[in-house]
Each structure stands twice: as structure tokens, then as C-alpha cells.
């Protein structure tokens, strides 16, 4: 049965019957020892993948001193944490810094809502 399900999903993806689960991702640019990154990790990280926002833009973590080559940033991130909304390797927008949970969720919702086609909930 498992093989049949895997085959049907593969077939559907091959012929475009179902699309990707999410077109965008939220890239968290962090630095080891960053106090604000640690605070975000304590206050937001456990809940993030369980939220609608987490479904709309799954989290990807990168280190500021080892930025990935597959993302075209508008400018090099300077502050940590910086949260960059990315679709197809292109930056759509960002949140620089972390000033607490309420402010983060507000800014994130604004960022996601500004790009509804890229951040549709699955």
C-alpha cells in the first residue's frame, strides 16, 4: 500500500496534478551567540512550525557568515536575526531584528500578506 501511495504522489508531481506544498520559505539569518536569536528560539521557534504562518513559509536557518548561494538577497544581511521571505531563490522582503513575540508575529503577518501568491497556506 505504501508503495502505491508513493507511486501516485510521484505521478501527480510529475504531471503537475499537485503543486509544491509552499512556494516560499522564511530564511532566518542567525549568528552563534546572538542574544536576540536565542530569545527568538525560546519564544517563537517551538510554535512556529505548528502555525499558519509556519505552513505559509516554512523556516530555513542559515548562518550570517555562511550565506547560501541559492538566495539572491537584496542586500547582505547585517543584523541577526534577520528573517528573509524567499521565493524561487529571490528575496521578497525581510524583517530585521527581533523585538519580542507580538511585534514579530505582527510584522510576519504583514510580510506574508504582502505576498499572498507565494505564501498560500497548503
Amino acid at each position: 500500500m505504501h508503495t502505491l501511495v508513493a507511486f501516485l504522489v510521484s505521478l501527480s508531481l510529475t504531471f503537475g496534478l499537485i503543486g509544491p506544498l509552499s512556494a516560499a520559505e522564511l530564511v532566518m539569518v542567525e549568528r552563534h551567540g546572538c542574544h536576540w536569536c536565542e530569545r527568538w528560539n525560546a519564544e517563537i521557534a517551538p510554535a512556529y512550525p505548528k502555525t499558519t504562518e509556519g505552513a505559509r513559509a516554512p523556516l530555513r536557518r542559515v548562518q550570517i557568515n555562511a550565506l547560501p548561494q541559492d538566495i539572491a538577497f537584496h542586500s547582505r544581511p547585517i543584523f541577526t536575526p534577520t528573517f528573509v521571505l524567499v521565493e524561487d531563490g529571490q528575496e521578497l522582503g525581510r524583517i530585521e531584528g527581533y523585538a519580542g513575540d507580538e511585534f514579530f508575529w505582527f510584522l510576519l503577518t504583514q510580510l506574508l500578506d504582502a505576498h499572498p501568491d507565494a505564501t498560500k497556506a497548503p
Side-chain angles (χ1 to χ4, degrees), residues 30-122:
E30 56 190 325
R31 177 189 329 257
H32 294 293
C34 165
H35 167 77
W36 295 106
C37 300
E38 292 171 7
R39 189 168 159 203
W40 188 91
N41 285 329
E43 296 175 1
I44 304 293
Y48 187 81
K50 302 172 190 172
T51 64
T52 301
E53 294 84 357
R56 291 175 67 187
L59 186 67
R60 174 181 173 190
R61 295 169 173 267
V62 301
Q63 290 294 313
I64 196 164
N65 60 350
L67 294 175
Q69 298 297 313
D70 64 332
I71 299 174
F73 293 98
H74 289 164
S75 62
R76 182 173 176 79
I78 297 171
F79 304 104
T80 58
T82 294
F83 302 91
V84 183
L85 184 62
V86 175
E87 180 185 31
D88 297 326
Q90 300 295 313
E91 178 177 338
L92 300 177
R94 67 174 65 185
I95 300 168
E96 294 182 320
Y98 177 71
D101 61 341
E102 290 181 24
F103 198 55
F104 173 79
W105 290 116
F106 174 77
L107 291 175
L108 180 60
T109 299
Q110 281 190 322
L111 180 59
L112 297 177
D113 288 349
H115 303 280
D117 291 339
T119 62
K120 290 179 185 169

Side-chain angles (χ1 to χ4, degrees), residues 4-25:
L4 177 61
V5 170
F7 173 75
L8 291 175
V9 169
S10 176
L11 189 64
S12 295
L13 288 171
T14 300
F15 291 104
L17 299 176
I18 60 175
L21 294 179
S22 179
E25 64 183 349

